[in-house]
Amino acid sequence: MNPKICLNCGHKISGEFCSHCGQKADTARITPRSLIKTDVLGSIWHIEERFFRTLKHILFGPGRMAMDYISGKRIKYYNLFSLLLILFGFNVLTMHFYLDLNPDEIRKESSKIFEFFSRYSKTILFVIIPILGTNAYFIFKRMKLNIAEHFIIGTVSLLGILIIFLFNDMISLIGLWKPAAKIFGILEKASFVLFILLPAVTYWNAFKKSYSKPGLLWRVSLLYVLMGIESLGIIAILYRIL
């Protein structure tokens, strides 16, 4: 049996993919059927499957997912930094719609606060990654993870925060409908609690097998104290600039 030849680079193929360029072995002439099934539907399904699977793992097992990603199990997950930009874009969009539909939210006495968070929201959000990563690098030294790997855990935590923010923004939009305002007001408060707890859940989920419960509790608590002090310092500096 003659070995297959890769249509992309001309090398011999012995498995499912070409060992030289990575193209699939079953790549063949494009037909109407293959165009629809493989190139269109297949690509969309593959992207959506990875996208929603990643969202699910971020919400229900963030620490475990981060450790999997660090250990090299990445093919099943959507690119974390592309996802970061997508979720941030959706957050900006939903907030824009909310303020357009509810202009009374921006009162004269609070206009400076809105202007501040509008201008520096991206800086405030993305500074969470180095804050979490750097603090965790020293607090969880036993894990022997380098600073970049701790940044990955911080990125997963921030992704969870952005998902909750997006959920909260959507709740706020629906809550503008007066009959549903009370119910969605409760959901909005619940989402705020989840936002506060998410970094703790992430690190607890990631390191629970490596530390005792008391040891993990004081480390996570210290992480929150440091993160709170540093975040307030950064916000104070930025607010003075504005």
Side-chain angles (χ1 to χ4, degrees):
M1 185 177 178
N2 293 328
K4 285 186 176 182
I5 301 297
C6 177
L7 299 179
N8 182 59
C9 66
H11 282 69
K12 292 179 181 179
I13 302 175
S14 58
E16 188 179 352
F17 297 91
C18 174
S19 60
H20 184 259
C21 70
Q23 180 163 286
K24 292 188 72 174
D26 62 358
T27 303
R29 184 178 180 181
I30 296 172
T31 63
R33 183 174 182 272
S34 71
L35 179 65
I36 295 171
K37 182 181 177 182
T38 305
D39 292 86
V40 180
L41 296 179
S43 298
I44 293 171
W45 169 251
H46 182 64
I47 292 172
E48 286 189 348
E49 185 184 24
R50 290 173 63 196
F51 183 83
F52 289 111
R53 184 197 295 125
T54 305
L55 294 184
K56 183 184 77 172
H57 282 281
I58 288 169
L59 288 174
F60 299 105
R64 186 168 60 252
M65 177 202 153
M67 296 306 288
D68 280 350
Y69 198 90
I70 289 167
S71 68
K73 300 175 182 177
R74 297 169 196 164
I75 191 66
K76 64 181 178 179
Y77 297 119
Y78 200 84
N79 181 277
L80 296 184
F81 297 98
S82 296
L83 187 58
L84 203 61
L85 294 175
I86 290 169
L87 289 176
F88 185 79
F90 276 123
N91 271 277
V92 170
L93 193 63
T94 52
M95 178 56 71
H96 174 74
F97 281 134
Y98 176 72
L99 295 178
D100 275 355
L101 293 171
N102 190 30
D104 292 338
E105 184 71 24
I106 307 177
R107 301 182 180 90
K108 287 183 179 179
E109 64 269 21
S110 61
S111 60
K112 194 171 183 180
I113 296 173
F114 272 100
E115 185 184 351
F116 169 76
F117 281 104
S118 175
R119 179 179 296 185
Y120 294 113
S121 60
K122 191 179 294 185
T123 304
I124 292 167
L125 282 174
F126 283 91
V127 82
I128 291 174
I129 296 175
I131 285 177
L132 278 174
T134 304
N135 290 333
Y137 175 76
F138 293 103
I139 294 172
F140 298 101
K141 199 74 174 176
R142 185 195 301 176
M143 298 304 300
K144 299 189 185 324
L145 298 176
N146 63 45
I147 191 72
E149 290 168 332
H150 275 291
F151 276 24
I152 290 296
I153 301 174
T155 300
V156 172
S157 187
L158 176 57
L159 284 167
I161 289 170
L162 288 175
I163 293 170
I164 293 170
F165 270 169
L166 183 58
F167 177 69
N168 185 70
D169 290 342
M170 293 171 69
I171 287 173
S172 298
L173 280 170
I174 299 171
L176 293 176
W177 183 48
K178 297 303 181 184
K182 188 173 182 180
I183 296 172
F184 284 99
I186 295 171
L187 289 174
E188 195 171 0
K189 291 176 182 176
S191 67
F192 178 76
V193 173
L194 289 174
F195 151 67
I196 296 296
L197 292 177
L198 192 77
V201 171
T202 302
Y203 284 95
W204 192 280
N205 189 233
F207 301 142
K208 63 183 178 182
K209 293 182 180 179
S210 303
Y211 295 92
S212 65
K213 288 183 179 178
L216 194 52
L217 183 62
W218 79 256
R219 284 175 173 85
V220 170
S221 299
L222 177 59
L223 183 68
Y224 266 71
V225 171
L226 292 175
M227 187 170 65
I229 293 171
E230 290 158 356
S231 297
L232 287 173
I234 291 168
I235 290 172
I237 291 169
L238 292 175
Y239 198 75
R240 281 174 178 261
I241 293 173
L242 181 65

